[in-house]
Amino acid sequence: MLKNHFKIALRNLWKHKVFSFINVTGLSVGITACFFIYMYVAFELSYDKFHSKVDNIYRLVTDIKTPSETINTDVTSWAFGPHIKPEFPEIEAFVRVSGESFLVRKDNIKFQEDKALYADSNFFKVFDFKLLKGDAKTALTAPASIIFSETSVKKYFGDADPIGKTVLITGNAVPAIVTGVMKDMPANSQIKADLLISMTTLTQKFRTDIDDQWGNYGASTYLLLKPGTNPKALEAKFVPVIEKLNGREQRERKMAATLLLEPMKDVYLHTTRGGQEVGSMSNVYIFSIVAVFILLIACINFINLTTARSVERAKEVGIRKVVGAAKGELAAQFIGESVVLCIIAFFITLALSSLLLPVFNQLSGKVVSTGIFSNPGYVAGLFGLSVLIGLLAGVYPALVLSSFRPVMVLKGRFSTGTKGNMLRKTLVVAQFSISIALIIGTIVVYDQMSFMRNQDLGFSKEQMLVMDTDNDPGQEAFKQAISTLPGVKATTLSSAIPGGGHSGAYSEIENNKGDLQVANLALYFVDFDYIKDYGIKIIAGRPFSRDFLKTDTAQAMIINEQAVKLFGYTTPEQAIGKRFKQWGREGKIVGVMKDFHYHSLQEKIDPLTMRVEMKAFNKVSVRLSTANLPVTLAKIESAWKQYIPNKPYSYFFLDEFFDRQYRSEQRFGKLFFNFAILAIAISCLGLLGLASYSTYQRTREIGIRKVLGASTSGIVNMLSIDFMRLVLISFVIATPVAWYFMHKWLADFAYRIDIQWWVFASAGILALVVALTTISFQAIRAALTNPVKSLRSE
């Protein structure tokens, strides 16, 4: 019996090749898209889950309260980890990590390693990063110990054993011993590094007092708690201990720190504080919904196409019932055909997934999977999903086909009834509601991305070349040498660039009441040319000037508009001449600059201070002319090698660097767009099926109308109008739903667009055009059919 059913199924599929191709293609594309989204979501949810002790690992974070604000930071002071560990038996181990950029040299080989981490000796006890060579217990104990990743070590040692060998680190050429080689850190880890350097290198060689600096916040601290520890109860215990260890200093500085614990497994997707790498739970939700929508559309499409062809099999069913076929047997036959179709779609999905996975990895910006067969569970799940879709999607067509009344069918009268028509129309409305919502979402995403790219940032980033000198002693001479080159318009030195981070400084600034108000403020160290060269506007007072060389290098500060508001002044002019104390310097505010976006547009502009500190510069910014750019770059490189010979030459353009901050949103937009296109294409197939079904049922009506003189355009309009109503109903349903979800998505941006009416109008018009184009193909074909053929059966 099964063999007979299988043969009939294959014969029917082969007999109707075009129908089978459309149905299988739509289903395969839908399942493939859903499968890709599943892999992406599974990858995002898997971050840091590979650590065996992840349920007991917590990130220690800090709320810092000052008289001016409460700062919710993702780091702690350097002193917290080593000082609180002995106070709490619940803490099994702690580890601090801090990102660093290191110049590493071996003989004539030198690289600037931007993905380096200082790490405490417990690093491999807390985390499950695999050490391929070396002793995990001691590899990060001694000062000047260094561990390379298996990829980075090859740059210096090739295939030779590096253990015990020496490399030179930093511009001062400090000898460091290679104590280990670790496996490359997984892509789904929020902690990423190409090399690790023992924390004792920092605490015993470079900054010997840092372990006791309670007010210096810069370390990411992780705690491994003993099993059964209640993290909330432990948080409450932190309060009296911090008071005991550092209460007096905090009161003197008017800063109070509250320690909180974040589960490590939740940090990547759920933290609001930031970190080395963070994701978006909103995007995970959105893509999950899109996956369900695409799968739903594909199933609806399958049902509509199958029932559309059911008319052609009505007589077959009637004859089989007359000769004794039971309703259950017929239903099983048609469900079996549905499953066979889905199994074929499964194999096509495997082929499509294997072929398109590299493209999807590139679109998503991360390797979500190295291959679909790398995880057998994926393939098994995909097969199960295909069979399940076949069973569920085949039930309704099977019931319709097996319920035909043979007498009526064989007389030539067939109708599936009002309920059947209503169901099919409802399914098309559901399809196009989803498609229109996705069109609206795509337009909003691209509009927001365009807004962020074209927003006035308050500074000039075009043709600005940036080089990191790592505070090399030759940087001033290098700046002077390249400033005379023909293609160089301006040069400036600083500690930071817009979008590239900044220092946080404990500050006291005179407020509108005449008191010194404590605040933790962002700080840029800049030279005299920085403000002019970056096109930052001074709206009160003056910029830094060499005419005031002695005072401006020690006693002058410039603040932005947000800082003016923070200290209670109503106009920028009121802040000029007010006192400040910051990092051992005292002086007066000499200028107020207009706010500029020194973060991305996802973050609001915070108070910012600038000071001239000649020994704190590590970046050279160069404004270039577009004429003869390759020649200018070559001359800059030549000067670099002359004045900063110990550091490898590298540079980037600020506009590209700043735009890089929006890569995750851009990738989200591209993925969203591609999945929206797929959903619309599959919806059109479903609409084509329903149009085919409708025109077949009205064949004789069309023939009679043509005999009575109806024009082709009149018949096309008659057949199209019902479907246009369905699209309009879909538009009414989709608009408020899409507005709600996209409004929630935009809420994550500090600076965002307002969703305009034209977005909805454009989506509605586009949906109507796509639907009309799809329907017109079938309608025109029916309208041009010879009426004699249409009426022959009467």
Side-chain angles (χ1 to χ4, degrees):
M1 181 65 74
L2 289 175
K3 183 178 178 182
N4 183 51
H5 285 341
F6 188 70
K7 282 184 177 179
I8 293 172
L10 290 180
R11 285 172 183 169
N12 273 295
L13 294 175
W14 185 251
K15 182 180 178 181
H16 303 276
K17 300 182 190 68
V18 175
F19 159 81
S20 300
F21 174 78
I22 292 175
N23 217 357
V24 170
T25 300
L27 201 57
S28 300
V29 171
I31 296 175
T32 301
C34 184
F35 182 50
F36 278 153
I37 294 175
Y38 168 76
M39 287 195 294
Y40 175 83
V41 169
F43 179 82
E44 291 292 283
L45 294 174
S46 72
Y47 261 75
D48 300 310
K49 303 292 175 59
F50 59 88
H51 297 298
S52 60
K53 303 172 185 176
V54 70
D55 290 334
N56 295 320
I57 302 174
Y58 289 80
R59 185 172 73 162
L60 191 64
V61 297
T62 319
D63 284 348
I64 308 170
K65 187 175 182 179
T66 73
S68 303
E69 75 272 278
T70 297
I71 304 165
N72 308 119
T73 179
D74 62 309
V75 295
T76 66
S77 86
W78 289 94
F80 281 163
H83 283 82
I84 67 171
K85 165 65 175 71
E87 300 286 339
F88 298 100
E90 299 96 326
I91 300 175
E92 184 174 330
F94 79 93
V95 60
R96 294 168 298 175
V97 294
S98 178
E100 191 61 74
S101 177
F102 264 102
L103 173 63
V104 180
R105 287 178 284 170
K106 180 185 178 293
D107 301 328
N108 294 324
I109 303 170
K110 55 185 176 184
F111 289 96
Q112 188 70 30
E113 298 288 356
D114 293 324
K115 293 182 179 179
L117 282 180
Y118 283 118
D120 279 307
S121 58
N122 283 324
F123 186 81
F124 293 102
K125 178 180 180 180
V126 175
F127 304 122
D128 285 357
F129 297 114
K130 188 176 180 181
L131 202 61
L132 302 176
K133 294 181 179 180
D135 185 347
K137 294 180 180 178
T138 61
L140 289 172
T141 302
S145 299
I146 188 168
I147 295 175
F148 286 97
S149 69
E150 59 182 326
T151 298
S152 64
V153 75
K154 294 182 183 298
K155 296 187 295 186
Y156 303 96
F157 297 96
D159 294 326
D161 185 359
I163 301 299
K165 302 291 177 58
T166 300
V167 294
L168 303 178
I169 60 175
T170 77
N172 295 324
V174 176
I177 305 298
V178 180
T179 56
V181 177
M182 63 180 176
K183 188 175 179 62
D184 289 344
M185 290 183 174
N188 58 343
S189 171
Q190 59 168 305
I191 299 174
K192 288 186 171 70
D194 291 329
L195 62 90
L196 301 175
I197 300 169
S198 60
M199 188 62 73
T200 51
T201 310
L202 179 67
T203 61
Q204 296 182 29
K205 279 184 173 291
F206 299 150
R207 301 175 67 180
T208 55
D209 61 343
I210 198 168
D211 274 350
D212 295 313
Q213 291 181 358
W214 291 89
N216 186 350
Y217 289 80
S220 295
T221 304
Y222 294 86
L223 304 181
L224 175 61
L225 305 185
K226 292 179 180 177
T229 299
N230 184 331
K232 289 298 180 184
L234 183 58
E235 281 181 358
K237 293 181 181 180
F238 287 149
V239 178
V241 171
I242 295 301
E243 171 61 27
K244 181 182 74 172
L245 296 174
N246 190 237
R248 180 179 176 181
E249 181 181 339
Q250 290 193 17
R251 285 190 294 275
E252 289 174 352
R253 295 167 65 92
K254 298 179 183 178
M255 298 180 71
T258 301
L259 297 180
L260 303 169
L261 294 171
E262 287 186 331
M264 185 179 186
K265 60 186 178 183
D266 295 340
V267 169
Y268 176 72
L269 287 175
H270 297 282
T271 188
T272 57
R273 298 169 181 267
Q276 188 177 358
E277 183 179 3
V278 293
S280 170
M281 196 64 201
S282 295
N283 289 356
V284 169
Y285 285 139
I286 289 172
F287 278 129
S288 298
I289 293 170
V290 169
V292 173
F293 281 172
I294 290 177
L295 194 59
L296 184 61
I297 287 173
C299 291
I300 290 172
N301 175 60
F302 181 88
I303 293 171
N304 272 340
L305 286 175
T306 304
T307 52
R309 199 173 67 84
S310 63
V311 181
E312 301 175 24
R313 301 189 66 180
K315 290 185 179 179
E316 173 199 337
V317 173
I319 293 170
R320 291 179 68 180
K321 277 200 167 188
V322 167
V323 297
K327 183 176 179 179
E329 291 178 354
L330 290 171
Q333 168 69 43
F334 295 122
I335 290 175
E337 289 184 16
S338 173
V339 172
V340 168
L341 204 64
C342 288
I343 290 175
I344 294 172
F346 162 74
F347 286 108
I348 296 174
T349 297
L350 285 182
L352 285 174
S353 299
S354 297
L355 184 65
L356 298 176
L357 184 58
V359 178
F360 181 73
N361 283 336
Q362 186 176 8
L363 276 174
S364 64
K366 53 185 70 178
V367 181
V368 298
S369 177
T370 55
I372 63 170
F373 297 105
S374 61
N375 189 332
Y378 284 171
V379 179
L382 190 61
F383 179 79
L385 177 64
S386 301
V387 173
L388 182 62
I389 291 172
L391 292 172
L392 295 178
V395 168
Y396 174 71
L399 291 177
V400 171
L401 291 168
S402 62
S403 299
F404 292 164
R405 295 177 61 190
V407 174
M408 302 301 291
V409 169
L410 295 175
K411 280 184 179 180
R413 293 179 225 154
F414 167 72
S415 174
T416 59
T418 305
K419 291 182 179 179
N421 288 332
M422 182 59 69
L423 177 61
R424 281 185 290 278
K425 289 180 180 180
T426 301
L427 294 177
V428 169
V429 168
Q431 280 185 316
F432 266 84
S433 295
I434 294 169
S435 298
I436 292 170
L438 290 175
I439 293 172
I440 293 170
T442 301
I443 295 173
V444 170
V445 169
Y446 270 80
D447 200 22
Q448 175 66 18
M449 292 300 101
S450 177
F451 169 79
M452 293 170 72
R453 284 193 297 269
N454 299 315
Q455 177 78 349
D456 180 10
L457 299 174
F459 68 94
S460 177
K461 58 184 172 67
E462 285 69 29
Q463 297 303 315
M464 184 68 85
L465 184 78
V466 180
M467 293 161 284
D468 190 339
T469 65
D470 197 24
N471 205 15
D472 190 280
Q475 63 184 356
E476 180 64 39
F478 170 70
K479 175 198 170 185
Q480 296 302 325
I482 63 175
S483 63
T484 59
L485 295 176
V488 173
K489 293 182 176 181
T491 58
T492 182
L493 290 168
S494 64
S495 65
I497 57 170
H502 55 78
S503 300
Y506 174 83
S507 309
E508 296 177 76
I509 293 180
E510 183 180 351
N511 61 23
N512 62 337
K513 297 178 182 179
D515 302 321
L516 285 176
Q517 180 176 324
V518 173
N520 192 70
L521 302 178
L523 170 63
Y524 278 20
F525 291 122
V526 301
D527 69 6
F528 294 102
D529 302 312
Y530 188 90
I531 290 175
K532 172 177 62 70
D533 292 351
Y534 268 93
I536 299 168
K537 296 179 182 178
I538 296 294
I539 58 175
R542 63 173 178 82
F544 298 120
S545 171
R546 291 183 177 84
D547 294 337
F548 303 92
L549 182 64
K550 186 175 180 180
T551 56
D552 276 9
T553 54
Q555 302 170 5
M557 173 184 283
I558 292 176
I559 63 175
N560 68 350
E561 293 174 283
Q562 291 301 315
V564 169
K565 295 176 183 177
L566 179 65
F567 295 103
Y569 299 111
T570 55
T571 65
E573 288 77 12
Q574 291 176 349
I576 302 301
K578 302 304 180 183
R579 295 171 295 147
F580 78 84
K581 292 182 180 180
Q582 187 182 67
W583 275 8
R585 298 286 191 184
E586 295 186 30
K588 294 183 178 181
I589 296 170
V590 298
V592 175
M593 57 188 159
K594 188 174 181 60
D595 284 340
F596 69 92
H597 291 276
Y598 62 96
H599 296 305
S600 75
L601 290 173
Q602 287 176 288
E603 303 175 51
K604 64 182 180 65
I605 299 175
D606 291 322
L608 173 68
T609 62
M610 284 187 182
R611 287 190 11 234
V612 177
E613 193 77 42
M614 305 303 289
K615 295 182 180 180
F617 303 144
N618 57 14
K619 289 180 175 62
V620 180
S621 301
V622 185
R623 178 83 60 193
L624 298 176
S625 167
T626 54
N628 298 318
L629 189 58
V631 174
T632 304
L633 291 175
K635 290 181 179 179
I636 291 174
E637 180 178 5
S638 177
W640 178 280
K641 291 178 179 178
Q642 178 181 353
Y643 293 100
I644 310 179
N646 293 326
K647 192 176 187 304
Y649 174 68
S650 64
Y651 66 86
F652 58 85
F653 283 95
L654 184 61
D655 53 354
E656 296 175 358
F657 174 79
F658 203 87
D659 291 344
R660 220 174 286 156
Q661 299 175 92
Y662 309 128
R663 277 187 179 175
S664 61
E665 286 75 26
Q666 291 167 350
R667 287 193 293 263
F668 171 79
K670 287 180 181 178
L671 286 173
F672 197 97
F673 173 77
N674 282 284
F675 288 129
I677 293 296
L678 286 177
I680 293 165
I682 298 170
S683 295
C684 289
L685 288 176
L687 191 62
L688 181 65
L690 189 58
S692 173
Y693 177 82
S694 178
T695 53
Y696 186 92
Q697 281 197 316
R698 302 177 73 174
T699 299
R700 280 170 284 190
E701 176 191 345
I702 293 168
I704 293 170
R705 286 179 179 273
K706 289 200 72 174
V707 168
L708 294 176
S711 66
T712 299
S713 60
I715 291 173
V716 170
N717 289 337
M718 177 195 73
L719 293 173
S720 302
I721 193 71
D722 287 342
F723 296 104
M724 292 300 98
R725 289 195 188 102
L726 297 181
V727 175
L728 287 173
I729 293 171
S730 301
F731 175 75
V732 172
I733 295 171
T735 297
V737 175
W739 178 89
Y740 173 78
F741 282 105
M742 296 318 297
H743 184 73
K744 295 274 285 183
W745 180 75
L746 287 170
D748 290 336
F749 296 88
Y751 300 90
R752 54 186 177 270
I753 61 168
D754 292 321
I755 305 178
Q756 304 292 332
W757 65 269
W758 64 263
V759 173
F760 304 103
S762 300
I765 292 170
L766 181 60
L768 280 171
V769 170
V770 170
L772 188 60
T773 303
T774 304
I775 295 162
S776 296
F777 171 78
Q778 189 65 35
I780 292 171
R781 181 182 173 189
L784 294 176
T785 301
N786 190 332
V788 175
K789 292 182 180 180
S790 303
L791 298 173
R792 183 175 293 167
S793 58
E794 290 294 313

